[in-house]
Amino acid sequence: MDDIKNRIVNIFENKNIEEGFRLELHMHTSEASKCASMDGRTAVRMYKELGYDGIVVTNHFINGNTSVDRELPWEEQMDNFFKGYDVAYDEGQKVGLKVFCSFEFNYNSTEFIVLGISKQWLKEHEEVMQMTPEEFIPYFQNNGGYVIQVHPYRYAWYIDIARPYAYLVDAVEVINVGNKIPESDAWASRIAEIYNKPIVAGSDCHHYGSGYGAGVVLKEIPQDENDLIRILRKNEHSVFGREA
């Protein structure tokens, strides 16, 4: 751990990245994402040392690679799922890092970050688990959500086919540090351009000390998730990535 910590340095020093509110838009914690090894407190402290101003906790939802027990009643699943965010938020308050709540919704390995949907709303709408993207994307949007398709052209063993939904979503993730080939980002950029959609970037970080280095730079400081959506809708942000 000490060897890794020595590598955690401010990634924005001497980098050609715009000034502003530097936000990690895609990251995971072990409280709810089965494939993550860092807990919420560790993640917050790492991003603070890296020089970020805020993070969005985007753990894999119940229909994805979650560590939440699916045998529990639905409301208990939701309580357990949001523990990753709760822990990170509390730590962010202590160290001065803004922490926002979201989740990564899955449909047959095609994934979406959903902002602006609360735990209470999800407790009352378990039916979203049975919907297709053509159904749940507008359903989230009509209930105040902001939907980003993430890594739409990722090449990986668990993805059987690319399913781009740029024509439906609010934004497209065009830089993802977790993508193994640069063409994945290039194709995402192209589909966003074709449909004239805003672009975002995120690290998709799962582990302490690796897989970070992407995000967005905002011209304003968001106060909560709804404010973050408002700022993203203005489409005045810039993206950065693969710096670490």
Side-chain angles (χ1 to χ4, degrees), residues 197-211:
K197 293 291 182 172
I199 61 173
V200 298
S203 301
D204 203 356
C205 183
H206 287 66
H207 311 291
Y208 180 82
S210 65

Side-chain angles (χ1 to χ4, degrees), residues 93 124 142 174 188 220 223-224:
Q93 292 289 99
E124 298 169 0
N142 291 336
V174 300
E220 303 176 50
Q223 300 306 310
D224 56 26

Side-chain angles (χ1 to χ4, degrees), residues 25 111-112 146-153 164-176 184-202 216 235 237 239:
L25 202 55
E111 294 177 301
F112 308 84
Y146 186 89
V147 183
I148 303 166
Q149 183 164 13
V150 295
H151 47 70
Y153 290 100
Y165 285 93
Y167 65 101
L168 279 179
V169 297
D170 296 292
V172 179
E173 182 187 69
V174 300
I175 300 174
N176 183 297
S184 295
D185 289 345
W187 296 331
S189 295
R190 180 59 179 147
I191 198 71
E193 180 182 11
I194 289 170
Y195 286 96
N196 194 30
K197 293 291 182 172
I199 61 173
V200 298
V216 298
N235 197 22
H237 56 273
V239 301

Side-chain angles (χ1 to χ4, degrees), residues 5 13 16 42 85 97 106 125 156 172 192 199 202 205 225 232:
K5 188 171 183 178
E13 293 179 358
N16 187 26
T42 301
Y85 162 73
L97 186 84
N106 177 67
H125 294 277
V172 179
I199 61 173
C205 183
E225 289 78 14
L232 290 173

Side-chain angles (χ1 to χ4, degrees), residues 27-214:
M27 52 80 62
H28 298 264
T29 75
S30 58
E31 289 89 352
S33 290
K34 200 175 200 177
C35 42
S37 62
M38 63 178 176
D39 60 30
R41 290 186 180 88
T42 301
V44 165
R45 291 188 174 273
M46 181 184 81
Y47 276 99
K48 180 66 175 178
E49 292 181 26
L50 288 171
Y52 283 80
D53 300 301
I55 60 174
V56 182
V57 178
T58 57
N59 281 320
H60 293 294
F61 199 62
I62 308 304
N63 51 13
N65 195 21
T66 183
S67 54
V68 176
D69 183 356
R70 294 184 177 93
E71 298 302 315
L72 292 171
W74 178 249
E75 290 199 8
E76 288 186 41
Q77 289 185 50
M78 292 299 93
D79 287 333
N80 288 345
F81 174 78
F82 283 97
K83 284 181 180 178
Y85 162 73
D86 293 337
V87 168
Y89 179 83
D90 289 345
E91 191 67 15
Q93 292 289 99
K94 295 176 184 176
V95 304
L97 186 84
K98 282 192 170 290
V99 179
F100 302 95
C101 187
S102 184
F103 53 90
E104 189 169 4
F105 204 74
N106 177 67
Y107 176 80
N108 292 338
S109 75
T110 300
E111 294 177 301
F112 308 84
I113 285 175
V114 184
L115 278 161
I117 297 296
S118 69
K119 175 170 67 174
Q120 185 57 43
W121 188 93
L122 287 165
K123 283 184 175 183
E124 298 169 0
H125 294 277
E126 186 179 358
E127 70 272 12
V128 295
M129 296 288 285
Q130 309 305 321
M131 294 182 178
T132 66
E134 290 83 0
E135 295 168 328
F136 66 69
I137 292 173
Y139 195 46
F140 285 136
Q141 291 167 330
N142 291 336
N143 284 278
Y146 186 89
V147 183
I148 303 166
Q149 183 164 13
V150 295
H151 47 70
Y153 290 100
R154 171 170 289 177
Y155 178 81
W157 63 268
Y158 63 91
I159 298 176
D160 57 350
I161 189 172
R163 300 181 184 89
Y165 285 93
Y167 65 101
L168 279 179
V169 297
D170 296 292
V172 179
E173 182 187 69
V174 300
I175 300 174
N176 183 297
V177 176
N179 285 335
K180 302 304 182 186
I181 58 173
E183 288 81 4
S184 295
D185 289 345
W187 296 331
S189 295
R190 180 59 179 147
I191 198 71
E193 180 182 11
I194 289 170
Y195 286 96
N196 194 30
K197 293 291 182 172
I199 61 173
V200 298
S203 301
D204 203 356
C205 183
H206 287 66
H207 311 291
Y208 180 82
S210 65
Y212 55 80

